Structures are given as structure tokens and as C-alpha cells.
Amino acid sequence: MSEPGQDWAMQGTDAAKDAALAPFIADGALMLWDQKTSRVGFVNAGAEALLGQHADGTSLPTPTRNRLALLAGGLAPRDHLRLERLRLTPGFTATLVTCGCKLLTGPEGQQILAIAIAPSELRRLGITVPPAPRVVAPSAPGATVASPAPAPAIAAPKRATVRFVWQSDVDGRFTSLSPDIAEIVGTDAAAGLIGRSWLELIDRDLLDREGSLIQRLASATTWSGHPVLWRTAGLAEGVRVELSGVPVLDAKRDLAGFRGFGLARMIEREPFPLPTDASDSPVPASAPPPPAPASDEAGPAPLVAVSADSADEGKAPEMSIDVPATEPTPAARTETPPPNEAGANVVPLRNGHLTTVRPLLEPSKALLTSAERNAFREIAKALGARIAGDDEGEPRLPPAVPLRLNEEADRPGQPAPEPTEPVDTAAAESKPAAAEASFVSEPVPSVDAPSAAAARQRLPNSHADVLDRLPVAVLVNRGDEPLYANRTLLDLLDYADLADLTSGGGISRMIKGAARSDGGTMILVDRTGHLVSVDARLSSVSWQGEPATLMAFRHPDGGGEVKVLTAEETEEAELAAEFEAEEAEIAARVDALRLDIDAREARISEMIAVLDTATDGVVTVDERGRILSLNKTAEALFGYDQREVSGELFTLLFAPESHAPALDYLEGLKGGGVASVMNDGREVMARVRQGGRIPLFMTMGQIADGAERRFCAVLRDITAWKKTEGELVEARKAAEKASAQKSDVLAKISHEIRTPLNAIIGFAEVMAEERFGPIANERYKEYLRDIHQSGGYVISLVNDLLDLAKIEAGKLDLDFVSVNLNEIALSVVNLLQPEAQRGRVVLRSGLSPKLPPVVADQRSIRQIVINLLSNAVKFTDAGGQVIVSTALGDQGEAILRVRDTGIGMDDSEIAMALEPFRQVPTTRRAGGTGLGLPLTKALVEANRAAMTITSVKKEGTLVEITFPPQRVLAG
């Protein structure tokens, strides 16, 4: 052994002498972790079996190595053990192991981390502890394992779960098997499995629990989770295997075989029933039967004789045997046949026959809390102690159902009971010894011993003897009546028996207080009045066919012992718990408030950032008008820093003429009422620090209510708007001036033109009438008629221009009176009827007799109707129609309509016709100046009415003049 290895071996020996580590090291595992090299320096036999080939710790998962580094750095204590849950094996399926960690001091003063694992954890993991220790020197990687003397190599522990793949043909013969099967049956047996069929393995190497494996292999359906017991190599025991299979089909969709996988639970082993036929048994007939594998004591394990048929079928014998509780009589001992006489037909009673007990003694670890798992570990320890220390004649597991000996078969004169299953008579005749061997290997008391028979009678609850040995107090009650209490609870509360507990006050006196109705911390009162603090678990059970409550009491820290407290200690514990709960609640509230404050501060910072990026200035003031804050935009707008104007009146920011409007605005918001509701803002003039004024639009609102109200003023620079507004005002003034000048010019021109035109028209009429003598030549008379007509046309044109100019200038004189639209329309139709007849156009009317009069200028209305009807007649072809009508609308409005079937117009032509001096291009020569429709529209709007034009090309036009209800008089 190298010198580093000797040093680590000495340190391992010193660690074994530590008082805290000694209980773990005995039959457990111990590792010494070197902080410098981050490797394992020493491992004992248990640790070597746990780590396997990587005993130096190189295969430890990274999180485990990091945790060990923290523990070795000072996290682990020096005076006691610290419990840790660590993964000590690599891989995805690595299991957490409960370890005790403690710091030790090396010979050179360095810190060494000792990691101890209890024997119960190794048993839970299925680890078998080999006898030889091993030392790994981290400073010298090539150092050998430290051992006092050369020892034979120890095989690495098998895996807890082995998964293998198999495939068979249509006859059920194996065609392929994965090498992992060798871990179950051995290398030699695995090599001989190829070519063998499932039928050959059943009842020899394989025990079919359900008896349906052959039927499943014959079907063409997928199956899984089929339980079997597969015999291991060289041992009279088997491991539990769950088989799954998928059918393999050929090209014709016929069954060609099966392929699947098996899952072997290597830590779940059971005695395998040996073949009863000498030809099938690997042991010679003359040899004694193999010993029971789980025999820890000198006494034999319970044995049951079964028939050859039942052994071949792999089924358990259907019989119930009652195990005696007293020492058998000598007579009964003499009746027991020698073992070699029935050895061929005697097999050990498998634990699988007691599967009804297993859920109570080996509860599932899924869906359990850590506290409940600790409680079940204590139960397992108690059961283990019982197995090691009980009498030799007691069975390994307590039966779930009382086993009764078939005594009637042994009594003379009593007929044997009929078997529940068919029995092969030939086998029974050929083996009379096997038929007589239906007995328990333990001595059975005689029927003549009444004391022994009475001792065999059990209570209705067959698990009472197990519950009495538990380190956890158990109570079953129905309401206030206790039904059962185990010995642990009776000793804890100082009661003699269940009757003493009932007479002492029952459940109502025993339980002083509980934290929750479903369990948790609970205070119990013993017989003398002392208080006991326990952790309770409550559940509903069925007791003797009726519902009841099961209570399990244990130490609050998970241990099996319960501390008895005095009244003063209980009060102190309750006060301490209350103080701790209050401190935890206060700490939680402080943390919640801190988080709330952080969230609010983040929200405030976000809102400040939003206000600073806004383009409007924001000023907050109190109800007295004093400035509280300015955003960045307001500081840039006024040229003041927030600290300079904080506390000053906000009128400091405005020009003198805007002080009163700003203060009135604030007072209106403070007083409430209409002023606070009709908040439409104010235009104010700001005063900047550098000099000058800026027009602003200010909107104020209340942002905080209470004893100290606050208001916010949003200020927007409207300099650009004011500039645009000024330009628009100037443009409007210029347009009005130009319009006035145009109207003045038109008025002057019309006045200057009318005088000579009237003279021309008058003289032409006198000459045409030959008032001062005849005109000899007829051509002169035609010329005079043309002069008169042209003068009338010019004078009408001048009148239209003058009217249009007056309307645009707003100087048209209108006389609003009650006007009957029907009368005006009828008179205009009569006026234009000759013109319509000349053009062969039908002109008719459809007037509403109940149309009320309207308020309008009669002269302009007449002009409107004349213009519309003349245009309609002018642009309607021969054979067409022109209809003038009146109507009263749904809302009380008066409507005048002119409809024709003329050439019509599109939207662009309508817009052109409404422009002055513009005419729609047509194929006919209609003449005109283009002022008809523009003048008509202007006259309609001057009479407070509305004109709409609807026209379709080559179909006609509809013009509607609508007078609103306000202009319609009541009929």
C-alpha cells in the first residue's frame, strides 16, 4: 500500500471511532471527501458497493460535487451530523440517498468531509455490503486499494432494474435475446435460451403468475405488464419480471412471432418453487433438499407441501394454516416426518402468498411526504428488529388472513374435505408420502391440548400484534368511542388498556387541541394530566364493517419518540410557536410591502419618463395655485428649473393679462359645478424667462382628492396655430376686399350700362310702333325688333350680374313674406307653356293641395322657378316631359321638384354647370351666359333653403328645392 493510501486508511479508522458516525458506519457506508482534489479518499465496503467501479467519486454528478464542495467548505457542522439528500450515482434514474455529513480534522489540520449512509438506506437501494474496505488516494491516482491482506475480488453489485429485449417465432421459440438477460439467469443459461420455447421454460425456469402467457403468445394482440417469476442463476429464488410483447406479422398479415422487452426487479426476489419431478430437478434425488434462502436463524422457515400438479402449474396451494402462538408439545414434534422423506415435494412458502399483507408492511413510496416516509422507515426498522429477535417458530411476516390447519383430515373417522381443484389420483397413489405431508414444518399442537387451541384464537384484527410493536402511536375511534389503541399509545398516555382509556374520559379528554381538522400538530393529555405535543395524521378506515377514524401520532420532527411536556413547557412552546408564526407573518408582510414599494417606484419612474417625453408642458399645483413640479418640457418651455419655481404661484409663468383667466380657471375647478364639467380649456399668454411671450392653450384638471387637493395643468404651445390663424384672417380680409371691389365695379358698370340700354330699348319700341310716322321699308321694322330684343337680353344679363354680385357681397335686399309655392309654380307653367309647345315638350304640374306656405322672398322664388323650368324645356328633346311638383316631407319640410327627361348630366358636368360663366358642352346650340344655375343656387341659399341636383346621362335631371321645417308656416 502506498503512503497516501495508508494515511487515508488511518483517517477512515479514526472516523469509525467518531460517536456521531459510528451508528451509520456499522453495516452502513462511509466516504471521506478530499476538498483539495475533489475526489473520494476513503470508502468502506458499503460505500464501495454503492459507488461500484467509480469508488474514487469521479462519476458523481456535477450538482452533487458542488454540494460536497459547499459542505466541505464549512457548511457541514463539526459537532453533529447534517442530513443531506444526494445523488451518488450517475444517470437519469439516479436515486436520492439520505446521508449524514460531518467535518473532521485531518492529521495536518486540513478539513475532511465524512459522508455516512445508514444501513436502512442501503437495504432500500438493494445494496449488499461486501466485507472488504477500499482506499483511494487522490494525490496519487495510481495508488492501489488499501486492505490489510489480499482479498478476493468482489463482484460489482447488480443493477436494481434490468431491462432486456426478446424475440420469438410463431412456435414461441426464442430467436434473439439481449445480453442483459445474463444478469438474471447467468451467462451459461443465457447462451442456452436461444432455440428454447416459452413452454419449455414455464414451471422450470419461469413461473407464470397469471397462467395466461401461452394464450397471449398465441393471440395477435399487443400486451404489456404480464408478471412472471424468473429463476436466477444458481439460486433457489427468482426475480419479478414484467413482460411486454408486440405481435410480428408477415407479408400476408399472419402472425410470425412476438418481440418485446422484459423489466426485471432485481431487488424484489422470492423463493422459486423447485420442480417436483426428479427428472426436471437439477438436484439429484438422493441429495437433500436445498436450504431456504432467507434463513437467518437456526429454525427452519415455514414450509408447505404441495402436489406435483400444483407445482407444475405454478400456482400457490389453496389452504389456510394457523400458526401456533405457544410452544408445541413433544408429541407433536414426534409426528413431524423427517425432512428427507418429503423433501421432493416441500417448497418454501413464498412471500407472494402474503400479498394481502404487503401493502401494509411495504407501502408504496409514491405520493408520500417526507414525514410520512420517515414514519414508514421507522415501521420497517421495527419489523426488522422483530424478525431478528423473535422466536424461531414465528413466521417471517404476520398473515393478513388467519391460517387454519386442516385438522379434520388428521382426526380419525372424519372424512377428508373435497379439494377445490381436480387432483391427479395417479400422482396421489404413486406418492402417498406427499399426500400425507400437508402440514406446517413448525410443530403443530395436538387437538387434545385445549390451552394451545385457545391460545391460537386471534382477535378480529389480525394485525394487532404488528401494530403493538410500532414506534408510532395508533388509535382507531368512532366519534368519542375508542375502538383500538396500540401498546405505544397506551404507554405514551400511561393507560393500562383500552378500557382504562375509555373510562378515563375517552377521546374528548385525550385530545386537548388540534391545529387542523385533518391532522397536523396536536396536543394530547395523558392519564396524569400531562400534555404531549405530537404530529397527527387522520384518515378514514373501515373497522369491523363500519366506518371509523384512524389516527397516527408521532414526533413532530419525524422521529419515533414523543416528548411529554408539562403545562408550563406546553405554554412556552405554544407562545414560541405563536411568536415564530407572528415573526414569519411580519416578515412575509414586510417582503410583500417591499415588493409593492418597488413596483410602485418602478411605476412612478415609468410615469415620470412618459411625462418627460411628452411634447406638452405639465405643471402640477396645489389648491392654492403653488407650483409643485414641472416636467422637462415645461422647464424647456418657460426656461425655469423645477427647483427654482417650486412653491411659487403658477401665475409666475404667465403674462399679466393672463393672470385673471388662469386663476378663474383654477377656482372654477375647485368649486365644482358647471365650470368643472364644461372644461374646454383656456388660451393664455406665457412669459418666458429669457424674455418674450408664447401663446399657450391650457387645460387643467384635478388629479388628487382629499385634504390636500392637487391639480395638473397641461400647456401646449400654439405659436404655429396662431401664425396660421393670422394668415387665414388676412387672406379672408383680402378676399372680402376683392369681392367688395368687384361688386362695386359691377354696380357701377350696371348703372352706366342701364341708362343707354333703356334709351335704346325705348326708342326701338317707339320706332317699331311708328308713332311719329310710318316706316316705308319692312326691313327697318325687322331691324327695330332685333334691336329691342338684344337690348332686353343685355339688360337681363346686367341684372343677373348685379344680383349675383349683391348676393356674394351679402347686400341683396330680400323681402321675406308668406309665399305660396303652388301659385308661383302654376303661374310659371302658364308663362312657359308657349315655349314648350314650340319645342313639342309636354309641360305639366303635380302640386300638393295641402302644402303650407313658406317664408321666402317672392320675387327670388319666382326667378328660381323660371330658371329651372326654362333650362328643363331648353335641354329636353321633342316628345319629352317636364314636370313641376310640390310635396310636404316627413320632417315637415316643403319640397319643390322640377323633373325632366332631357339629356341629363354626370357629376363632373353638374359641378361645371354650377360655376359662373361655365356651360355644359352639348350638341345643341342653346345659347345663354352660364349664369342660370349659379344664380339659382345663390338665390336658394339666400332664402335659407337647399338645392340638390340628381341627373343621369340620357335619362333626365331632378332638381329639388327644400325649405326646412323652420321656414314652413303652420297650415
Side-chain angles (χ1 to χ4, degrees):
M1 180 187 301
S2 62
E3 185 177 351
Q6 294 178 358
D7 295 341
W8 282 106
M10 294 176 60
Q11 293 174 6
T13 304
D14 296 340
K17 300 177 182 179
D18 189 273
L21 297 174
F24 284 80
I25 299 175
D27 297 332
L30 174 66
M31 295 183 292
L32 298 182
W33 177 262
D34 187 10
Q35 176 66 9
K36 293 183 179 180
T37 59
S38 298
R39 296 175 64 184
V40 177
F42 173 82
V43 292
N44 66 349
E48 181 183 8
L50 176 62
L51 297 179
Q53 300 178 356
H54 304 281
D56 56 353
T58 56
S59 63
L60 292 177
T62 302
T64 303
R65 302 176 68 88
N66 297 337
R67 189 63 179 174
L68 293 177
L70 292 175
L71 293 169
L75 183 60
R78 292 182 176 273
D79 53 349
H80 61 277
L81 289 180
R82 176 187 176 94
L83 295 181
E84 292 282 340
R85 298 276 289 172
L86 304 174
R87 298 185 189 272
L88 300 179
T89 55
F92 177 75
T93 59
T95 307
L96 288 171
V97 182
T98 303
C99 308
C101 303
K102 182 180 179 182
L103 285 178
L104 303 177
T105 303
E108 300 179 0
Q110 73 275 20
Q111 290 185 356
I112 300 175
L113 178 63
I115 306 166
I117 304 170
S120 60
E121 283 292 295
L122 297 181
R123 289 196 299 269
R124 181 177 67 86
L125 299 174
I127 302 300
T128 303
V129 181
R134 179 180 177 183
V135 176
V136 180
S139 58
T144 59
V145 177
S147 60
I154 299 173
K158 296 182 179 180
R159 293 180 290 175
T161 303
V162 175
R163 187 177 186 273
F164 62 92
V165 181
W166 59 271
Q167 187 169 354
S168 61
D169 56 11
V170 67
D171 298 329
R173 297 186 179 277
F174 286 107
T175 57
S176 65
L177 278 167
S178 62
D180 298 327
I181 192 67
E183 296 189 30
I184 303 175
V185 302
T187 306
D188 297 337
L193 288 176
I194 302 299
R196 299 185 65 184
S197 65
W198 288 100
L199 191 60
E200 295 174 1
L201 295 180
I202 293 177
D203 296 337
R204 289 183 173 86
D205 298 325
L206 193 71
L207 182 59
D208 186 8
R209 292 186 180 275
E210 297 182 354
S212 59
L213 181 59
I214 299 302
Q215 289 82 352
R216 290 188 171 183
L217 291 171
S219 63
T221 57
T222 302
W223 45 271
S224 63
H226 187 85
V228 299
L229 188 67
W230 204 310
R231 187 169 65 177
T232 57
L235 297 174
E237 63 178 5
V239 297
R240 298 180 183 180
V241 179
E242 294 181 1
L243 297 175
S244 300
V246 178
V248 179
L249 305 178
D250 55 12
K252 299 181 180 179
R253 307 298 296 175
D254 295 332
L255 182 64
F258 268 85
R259 58 184 176 88
F261 66 92
L263 196 65
R265 314 288 184 180
M266 302 301 292
I267 61 176
E268 298 181 3
R269 298 174 179 265
E270 296 181 8
F272 192 88
L274 300 177
T276 57
D277 193 358
S279 61
D280 297 336
S281 175
V283 184
S286 60
S295 177
D296 294 337
E297 302 293 341
L303 300 178
V304 173
V306 296
S307 65
D309 295 339
S310 64
D312 291 340
E313 295 176 3
K315 297 182 180 179
E318 297 182 358
M319 61 174 60
S320 58
I321 305 174
D322 195 1
V323 180
T326 60
E327 191 67 21
T329 60
R333 294 179 184 271
T334 58
E335 294 177 1
T336 306
N340 56 358
E341 295 181 10
N345 293 332
V346 176
V347 295
L349 180 64
R350 304 192 315 274
N351 292 345
H353 293 213
L354 301 177
T355 54
T356 56
V357 185
R358 187 170 303 278
L360 293 175
L361 300 179
E362 298 180 7
S364 175
K365 298 179 179 59
L367 304 178
L368 294 178
T369 63
S370 59
E372 292 169 344
R373 282 197 293 269
N374 292 334
F376 280 116
R377 290 194 187 106
E378 296 297 335
I379 294 174
K381 291 180 182 177
L383 293 177
R386 179 190 177 206
I387 293 172
D390 288 346
D391 296 336
E392 296 177 359
E394 292 187 6
R396 176 178 176 85
L397 298 176
V401 179
L403 303 177
R404 299 187 303 275
L405 181 65
N406 195 357
E407 298 177 359
E408 289 78 1
D410 297 337
R411 294 181 182 179
Q414 296 289 341
E418 295 182 2
T420 58
E421 295 182 2
V423 181
D424 190 355
T425 57
E429 292 175 359
S430 62
K431 296 180 181 180
E436 296 176 357
S438 299
F439 64 95
V440 179
S441 63
E442 294 192 40
V444 180
S446 175
V447 227
D448 300 332
S451 60
R456 282 200 307 270
Q457 296 180 359
R458 293 181 177 270
L459 296 175
N461 181 14
S462 61
H463 303 295
D465 54 348
V466 178
L467 297 176
D468 285 342
R469 297 175 181 270
L470 294 181
V472 178
V474 178
L475 174 67
V476 180
N477 69 295
R478 186 178 293 116
D480 194 44
E481 177 188 2
L483 303 177
Y484 170 78
N486 69 340
R487 176 51 52 189
T488 305
L489 178 65
L490 296 175
D491 294 342
L492 173 66
L493 301 181
D494 199 17
Y495 289 106
D497 50 17
L498 184 62
D500 190 13
L501 174 62
T502 305
S503 62
I507 304 300
S508 59
R509 181 188 179 277
M510 185 188 73
I511 300 177
K512 179 181 179 182
R516 302 190 310 268
S517 59
D518 58 345
T521 305
M522 189 175 292
I523 304 297
L524 304 181
V525 182
D526 64 0
R527 186 178 60 84
T528 60
H530 292 95
L531 302 180
V532 181
S533 177
V534 296
D535 190 4
R537 290 291 181 270
L538 278 66
S539 59
S540 299
V541 296
S542 178
W543 188 267
Q544 296 180 351
E546 296 183 7
T549 302
L550 173 66
M551 301 185 188
F553 307 105
R554 59 179 179 80
H555 195 276
D557 296 334
E561 299 181 357
V562 184
K563 182 179 180 181
V564 179
L565 304 177
T566 63
E568 293 79 5
E569 292 176 342
T570 303
E571 185 176 1
E572 292 178 0
E574 291 178 354
L575 291 176
E578 291 179 1
F579 290 154
E580 184 178 357
E582 289 180 359
E583 290 179 358
E585 183 179 0
I586 292 173
R589 289 182 179 178
V590 170
D591 293 339
L593 289 176
R594 184 178 294 109
L595 293 176
D596 185 59
I597 290 173
D598 295 341
R600 291 176 182 269
E601 289 180 352
R603 180 64 175 170
I604 291 173
S605 301
E606 180 181 352
M607 295 302 298
I608 292 175
V610 170
L611 291 177
D612 288 340
T613 55
T615 57
D616 296 339
V618 179
V619 181
T620 57
V621 297
D622 58 11
E623 59 182 353
R624 292 175 295 178
R626 300 188 180 277
I627 299 175
L628 299 177
S629 64
L630 280 76
N631 69 337
K632 297 297 183 182
T633 306
E635 291 180 351
L637 192 62
F638 296 105
Y640 289 102
D641 188 81
Q642 176 179 329
R643 293 168 294 181
E644 297 178 353
V645 297
S646 180
E648 299 290 341
L649 285 175
F650 79 113
T651 54
L652 173 68
L653 306 176
F654 305 126
E657 62 270 19
S658 298
H659 288 182
L663 292 176
D664 293 342
Y665 195 2
L666 179 60
E667 292 297 330
L669 293 176
K670 290 166 53 178
V674 180
S676 60
V677 176
M678 304 294 292
N679 188 2
D680 52 356
R682 301 287 189 277
E683 288 189 9
V684 294
M685 189 63 66
R687 181 178 60 184
V688 299
R689 185 176 185 179
Q690 296 82 1
R693 298 184 178 185
I694 300 175
L696 300 177
F697 186 81
M698 179 175 63
T699 304
M700 295 187 68
Q702 185 174 341
I703 59 175
D705 200 358
E708 186 70 23
R709 294 187 296 174
R710 296 184 179 184
F711 300 88
C712 173
V714 180
L715 304 167
R716 176 168 296 181
D717 186 2
I718 58 174
T719 303
W721 293 358
K722 285 294 182 181
K723 182 179 179 181
T724 304
E725 183 183 4
E727 293 176 353
L728 292 176
V729 169
E730 293 296 332
R732 182 175 60 83
K733 290 181 179 180
E736 290 177 353
K737 184 178 179 180
S739 178
Q741 292 177 355
K742 182 184 66 173
S743 300
D744 188 32
V745 170
L746 288 175
K748 292 179 179 180
I749 292 175
S750 62
H751 183 269
E752 296 295 333
I753 294 177
R754 275 187 181 187
T755 303
L757 278 178
N758 289 332
I760 293 172
I761 294 173
F763 292 148
E765 289 179 358
V766 172
M767 292 176 67
E769 294 175 359
E770 300 179 352
R771 293 181 182 180
F772 299 104
I775 299 176
N777 195 339
E778 289 294 331
R779 184 171 293 182
Y780 288 143
K781 292 181 179 182
E782 292 178 4
Y783 290 161
L784 288 174
R785 284 194 297 267
D786 292 339
I787 292 171
H788 185 272
Q789 186 178 359
S790 298
Y793 177 75
V794 172
I795 197 65
S796 65
L797 177 60
V798 171
N799 290 334
D800 291 343
L801 286 174
L802 185 59
D803 292 340
L804 185 60
K806 288 181 179 181
I807 293 173
E808 291 180 353
K811 298 179 180 181
L812 180 64
D813 296 331
L814 298 177
D815 185 14
F816 291 104
V817 295
S818 176
V819 178
N820 192 332
L821 295 179
N822 289 340
E823 294 179 357
I824 294 177
L826 189 58
S827 64
V828 174
V829 168
N830 293 333
L831 178 65
L832 297 179
Q833 191 69 41
E835 183 179 352
Q837 291 177 356
R838 287 194 298 267
R840 290 178 295 176
V841 175
V842 179
L843 177 60
R844 59 191 181 92
S845 62
L847 306 177
S848 175
K850 297 182 180 180
L851 182 68
V854 297
V855 178
D857 180 60
Q858 187 172 1
R859 186 186 66 84
S860 59
I861 295 298
R862 184 180 178 86
Q863 185 66 36
I864 291 171
V865 178
I866 292 174
N867 291 344
L868 293 178
L869 284 178
S870 62
N871 283 340
V873 172
K874 185 187 304 183
F875 292 101
T876 300
D877 295 331
Q881 294 186 20
V882 176
I883 303 173
V884 57
S885 62
T886 58
L888 185 64
D890 297 336
Q891 304 298 330
E893 67 272 14
I895 305 173
L896 174 65
R897 296 188 180 96
V898 177
R899 184 192 304 272
D900 64 69
T901 59
I903 61 174
M905 298 179 292
D906 56 18
D907 294 340
S908 60
E909 291 176 345
I910 292 174
M912 182 184 299
L914 291 175
E915 295 180 5
F917 305 104
R918 297 289 301 273
Q919 290 184 342
V920 178
T922 60
T923 57
R924 61 178 62 194
R925 298 176 59 185
T929 59
L931 291 176
L933 280 180
L935 181 59
T936 302
K937 182 181 179 183
L939 292 174
V940 169
E941 292 176 353
N943 283 276
R944 311 293 190 270
M947 184 180 73
T948 58
I949 301 177
T950 306
S951 182
V952 179
K953 271 284 194 181
K954 298 181 181 180
E955 291 186 7
T957 303
L958 171 63
V959 181
E960 292 184 342
I961 307 299
T962 304
F963 292 88
Q966 296 84 358
R967 310 294 290 181
V968 179
L969 298 176

